[in-house]
DNA sequence: AATAGGTTCAACCGCGAGTGA
DNA sequence: ATCACTCGCGGTTGAACCTAT
């Protein structure tokens, strides 16, 4: 379903529904470079949005392996079960359901499951306790027992096929970490999460050590003004002749800020 | 066919936690 | 201790869609 129509606020930042073009730009950018700093990222990615809006769009919709569409009975049962235990902790519930965002789960609860649970409680309350309604009975056949959820896989996920690190590793890396990784050719587990399988096949050589070249023939459309932190790094190294310099926060932060100011056209 | 009212869900907003200077 | 900043969470909003009349 389409969301709200888009418009610009007083700062010239777009709000409202995301366009396909914006989605492509953001996806292309984050897929290649990760979300090193949400507040600085939008101009690099070529979108006139707030960092907050970009983060939300990515987390709720554009992330790899996101499921869109109907919830399965199992997913519903997991949500009900977890909500019963921990309440409105949507992000925690989402961490147990790979491919579902906290926003999606929150909506699912508010629109469907809350009513269902309330109805079940009303019905079961009017009968003798201990009798399960059909929906309630489903909870029992749910392969995931409540006790599993909290105590057996505190930081894990409930469904097979996705490594336990996925849900937590999507948190942001600092610009320094990411840039240091690039400079050192490190392919950390956290950064690898940002490169989905669908794009792996297109990569030639090591993504994190190969210099960035616009890939106009690939399936990932890159915006004309897609700015790369690689440009910054390359320019910085070239300008300061400091290839061997250890990239500390003190070095990177102010310089990155200056680079953004000088090279990125704020809309 | 028109439209009023209800429903859905993407996106926004405000706040608190965490971190670093 | 304080300030500034980013990130992430949970509640709320409102446009698009659906359904009943």
């Amino acid at each position: 379903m389409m969301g709200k129509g888009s418009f610009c606020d007083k700062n010239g930042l777009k709000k409202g529904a995301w366009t396909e073009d914006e989605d492509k730009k953001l996806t292309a950018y984050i897929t290649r470079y990760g979300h090193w700093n949400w507040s600085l990222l939008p101009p690099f990615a070529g979108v006139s949005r707030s960092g907050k809006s970009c983060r939300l769009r990515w987390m709720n919709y554009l992330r790899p392996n996101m499921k869109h569409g109907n919830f399965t009975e199992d997913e519903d049962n997991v949500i009900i079960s977890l909500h019963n235990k921990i309440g409105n902790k949507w992000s925690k519930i989402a961490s147990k359901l790979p491919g579902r965002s906290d926003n999606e789960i929150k909506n699912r609860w508010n629109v469907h499951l809350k009513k269902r649970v309330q109805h079940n409680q009303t019905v079961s309350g009017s009968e003798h306790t201990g009798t399960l309604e059909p929906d309630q009975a489903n909870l029992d056949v749910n392969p995931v027992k409540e006790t599993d959820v909290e105590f057996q896989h505190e930081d894990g996920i409930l469904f097979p096929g996705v490594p336990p690190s996925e849900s937590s590793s999507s948190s942001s890396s600092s610009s320094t970490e990411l840039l240091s990784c690039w400079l050192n050719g490190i392919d950390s587990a956290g950064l690898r999460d940002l490169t989905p399988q669908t794009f792996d096949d297109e990569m030639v050589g090591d993504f994190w050590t190969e210099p960035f070249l616009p890939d106009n023939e690939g399936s990932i459309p890159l915006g004309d003004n897609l700015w790369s932190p690689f440009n910054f790094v390359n320019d910085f190294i070239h300008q300061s002749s400091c290839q061997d310099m250890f990239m500390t926060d003190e070095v990177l932060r102010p310089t990155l800020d200056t680079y953004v100011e000088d090279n990125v056209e704020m809309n």
Side-chain angles (χ1 to χ4, degrees), chain A residues 29-36 178 182 207 212 227-230:
Chain A
Y29 188 84
I30 296 177
T31 298
R32 288 189 178 272
Y33 306 115
H35 41 81
W36 44 283
L178 195 54
W182 286 325
F207 171 84
F212 169 67
W227 281 88
S228 162
F230 275 123

Side-chain angles (χ1 to χ4, degrees), chain A residues 205-222:
Chain A
D206 184 344
F207 171 84
W208 297 106
T209 54
E210 289 290 322
F212 169 67
L213 294 171
D215 180 11
N216 293 331
E217 292 175 7
S219 61
I220 309 303
L222 298 173

Side-chain angles (χ1 to χ4, degrees), chain A residues 194-236:
Chain A
L194 298 167
T195 309
Q197 186 64 47
T198 48
F199 298 128
D200 284 348
D201 297 337
E202 297 174 335
M203 300 304 171
V204 178
D206 184 344
F207 171 84
W208 297 106
T209 54
E210 289 290 322
F212 169 67
L213 294 171
D215 180 11
N216 293 331
E217 292 175 7
S219 61
I220 309 303
L222 298 173
D224 292 338
N225 55 343
L226 186 64
W227 281 88
S228 162
F230 275 123
N231 297 341
F232 156 69
V233 173
N234 290 338
D235 286 2
F236 177 71

Side-chain angles (χ1 to χ4, degrees), chain A residues 119-136:
Chain A
H119 175 257
N120 287 342
Q121 284 172 348
T122 306
V123 174
S124 62
S126 65
E127 297 177 4
H128 58 277
T129 48
T131 303
L132 293 175
E133 288 299 302
D135 279 346
Q136 201 70 33

